[in-house]
Amino acid sequence: NDENQCELKFSISDTGIGIPKEKIDTIFDSFDQAALDTTRKYGGTGLGLTITKQLIDLQNGELYVESEVNIGTTFFFTLPFEIGDNKELKSKSSKQFKPVLFENIDILLVEDNPINQLLAKKVLSKWKCNIEVAANGKIAIDKLNNKDYAIILMDVQMPEMDGHEATKYIRSNMNSGKENVPILAMTAHVGPQEAKRCIESGMNDCITKPFDPKDLNVKMNMYINQKK
């Protein structure tokens, strides 16, 4: 670093399958992966590293990798940062978000990704609600058959039965009030078309992933009270 700029180096390591030396130079190419069966086994399109490299290049940084087959991989990147002045720091607003608490209210979280489950549960647990998790639409329907929930937070893209299919089934085939349970779609693709599709499937509203806790809290409160 100097008076005006500093360079930070980040490293991310895994203990995965590793990358052969002859493939190291190609993994940043579009649609190229280290092994032909990577997509089948692990998913992905071969675009993630390409996009990452382009983002780092745009910020005048550098991305490189060290790897050993069957041992793991470490990705390094460096980025230059301008040294600022404390006077430029924005002070926190005195108006902090005070969430509504949902004590003893049962919430069904329908989400297949373990990380997304963890993040959502971390936020919801602070609001004192009882959280149950279903990894896909079929499991969600089974749970709803056996229990009433104040609201369902429904991921849209899931294996076996996605959020659209599950919602349509609930609206068409459930009874005893279960068919009217509020359903909030949770999706990373909230544009006008996707939002319209969610509403047409029978969902009440959409929440963008990664979600804003304030937005989620406000909408949960609105639909839970509406149901009451």
Side-chain angles (χ1 to χ4, degrees):
N1 64 297
D2 56 33
E3 291 182 2
N4 302 312
Q5 185 173 283
C6 66
E7 187 174 75
L8 299 186
K9 178 181 178 181
F10 301 82
S11 64
I12 299 92
S13 299
D14 66 40
T15 55
I17 58 175
I19 304 166
K21 288 182 180 179
E22 66 273 14
K23 286 286 186 177
I24 288 285
D25 293 334
T26 67
I27 59 169
F28 297 110
D29 296 338
S30 299
F31 304 110
D32 203 340
Q33 295 178 317
L36 293 174
D37 62 350
T38 295
T39 298
R40 181 173 56 81
K41 283 186 177 179
Y42 306 106
T45 60
L47 281 174
L49 288 175
T50 307
I51 294 168
T52 301
K53 187 175 187 309
Q54 289 175 358
L55 288 171
I56 290 170
D57 287 345
L58 284 168
Q59 298 173 81
N60 300 314
E62 185 182 0
L63 173 64
Y64 54 101
V65 60
E66 294 176 359
S67 186
E68 195 170 341
V69 174
N70 297 323
I71 299 296
T73 303
T74 301
F75 286 91
F76 302 89
F77 67 93
T78 58
L79 286 178
F81 289 88
E82 184 180 339
I83 295 176
D85 191 307
N86 285 340
K87 294 177 184 177
E88 297 172 9
L89 295 175
K90 293 180 181 178
S91 60
K92 286 187 177 180
S93 170
S94 58
K95 291 183 179 179
Q96 291 200 345
F97 164 54
K98 291 184 179 179
V100 175
L101 301 182
F102 305 103
E103 291 191 58
N104 300 317
I105 288 179
D106 295 315
I107 308 291
L108 181 60
L109 172 65
V110 190
E111 169 66 66
D112 64 310
N113 184 292
I115 300 297
N116 291 340
Q117 289 176 8
L118 183 67
L119 293 173
K121 286 165 68 178
K122 187 174 182 180
V123 172
L124 292 168
S125 63
K126 292 179 181 177
W127 301 341
K128 310 295 184 183
C129 47
N130 303 322
I131 311 145
E132 288 192 33
V133 177
N136 60 52
K138 283 186 177 179
I139 298 171
I141 288 167
D142 289 341
K143 285 182 174 288
L144 187 58
N145 271 319
N146 295 309
K147 185 175 179 177
D148 289 331
Y149 296 93
I151 195 166
I152 297 176
L153 307 181
M154 182 80 76
D155 185 26
V156 171
Q157 293 182 316
M158 291 178 292
E160 293 192 56
M161 179 183 278
D162 65 22
H164 293 292
E165 293 177 275
T167 301
K168 288 175 183 176
Y169 183 92
I170 291 167
R171 298 301 189 220
S172 302
N173 298 283
M174 294 281 187
N175 50 41
S176 303
K178 293 178 188 286
E179 71 277 12
N180 296 319
V181 60
I183 300 175
L184 283 184
M186 302 184 76
T187 173
H189 308 288
V190 174
Q193 293 285 70
E194 182 63 23
K196 181 182 177 184
R197 190 179 170 213
C198 288
I199 299 301
E200 288 174 347
S201 295
M203 299 173 184
N204 298 81
D205 212 328
C206 295
I207 295 287
T208 313
K209 291 198 298 185
F211 62 82
D212 175 0
K214 181 179 178 181
D215 186 30
L216 178 60
N217 189 269
V218 167
K219 288 187 176 181
M220 282 178 60
N221 185 45
M222 180 174 70
Y223 288 108
I224 287 171
N225 283 322
Q226 205 174 76
K227 185 185 177 188
K228 288 178 183 176

